[in-house]
Amino acid sequence: AVGAIGKNSAGNIQPDIGAVYVFTRDNSGDWSQLDFIRAANAGENDQFGFSIALAGDTLAVGAIGKNSDITTDVDVGAVYVFTRDNSGDWSQQDFIRATNARENDQFGFSIALAGDTLAAGAVGKNSDVNADVDVGAVYVFTRDDSGDWSQQDFIRGSNAEENDQFGAPVALSGDTLAVGAVGKNSDLNNDVDVGAVYVFQ
């Protein structure tokens, strides 16, 4: 699965809607395009395809530029989940928002899938305590038997600070979640953007 965040709408009416291309490899090792996927509610500058996670017959796609449907907030972000049927066709299963979505959160900046668990990073999430920006956060969702996803947890770094960008990237394996914070500063000196990784279980 390959994202193309700059893909315009048909006729180039809306720029940077984004799209995802799905390819499969045959027994000879040759790749061919199987599908071309758009969001059902595609909008200008959504950047659909910014992040992708693929596990079996489930595909999760981040759209960090997705605006709020309720307010005028921009770059709130969203995650789309698609499933593949026996014919190899992909269809949208769910549209996921953060429960506490705000402007510039960039929810869906990174995505990880493991079975019926999905982790999504929001690197632009501000602190709830003060005005610190780009602290970052990670949301964890689980899928029920009906195929619906619901938020299970909201994760912050234990020593969160401004510009940590916690949630870039995320990795999920079984019951272990690893979260990168590319902007984390050094605790020992004044070095900035040293980076760090947090591990959760």
Side-chain angles (χ1 to χ4, degrees):
V2 182
I5 61 174
K7 190 69 179 174
N8 295 343
S9 67
N12 294 322
I13 298 173
Q14 293 179 302
D16 299 339
I17 285 177
V20 171
Y21 298 78
V22 180
F23 299 83
T24 55
R25 179 171 51 189
D26 61 25
N27 293 332
S28 301
D30 297 321
W31 292 86
S32 58
Q33 185 174 323
L34 177 73
D35 214 336
F36 173 72
I37 299 174
R38 292 276 205 188
N41 60 343
E44 183 174 329
N45 299 319
D46 280 356
Q47 298 186 65
F48 175 85
F50 186 89
S51 58
I52 293 174
L54 183 62
D57 292 322
T58 302
L59 171 67
V61 180
I64 62 170
K66 192 68 184 173
N67 295 345
S68 172
D69 298 324
I70 302 172
T71 66
T72 58
D73 290 347
V74 298
D75 297 343
V76 171
V79 173
Y80 298 77
V81 180
F82 300 83
T83 54
R84 177 172 49 190
D85 62 24
N86 293 332
S87 300
D89 296 322
W90 293 87
S91 59
Q92 187 171 318
Q93 181 187 49
D94 212 339
F95 173 69
I96 300 174
R97 291 280 205 186
T99 54
N100 59 346
R102 294 179 183 172
E103 183 164 310
N104 298 321
D105 279 356
Q106 296 186 65
F107 172 78
F109 185 93
S110 56
I111 306 174
L113 262 177
D116 292 319
T117 304
L118 182 150
V123 297
K125 191 69 183 171
N126 292 356
S127 170
D128 296 325
V129 179
N130 50 44
D132 287 346
V133 297
D134 298 345
V135 170
V138 171
Y139 299 77
V140 180
F141 300 83
T142 55
R143 177 170 49 188
D144 62 23
D145 293 337
S146 300
D148 297 322
W149 294 84
S150 58
Q151 187 172 318
Q152 182 185 52
D153 212 340
F154 173 72
I155 301 173
R156 292 278 205 186
S158 56
N159 57 346
E161 295 177 322
E162 184 173 1
N163 298 323
D164 278 357
Q165 297 186 64
F166 178 85
V170 293
L172 189 60
S173 177
D175 293 324
T176 301
L177 170 68
V179 181
V182 296
K184 192 68 183 173
N185 294 347
S186 171
D187 296 326
L188 302 178
N189 49 46
N190 293 324
D191 290 343
V192 296
D193 298 345
V194 171
V197 173
Y198 299 76
V199 179
F200 301 87
Q201 289 186 320

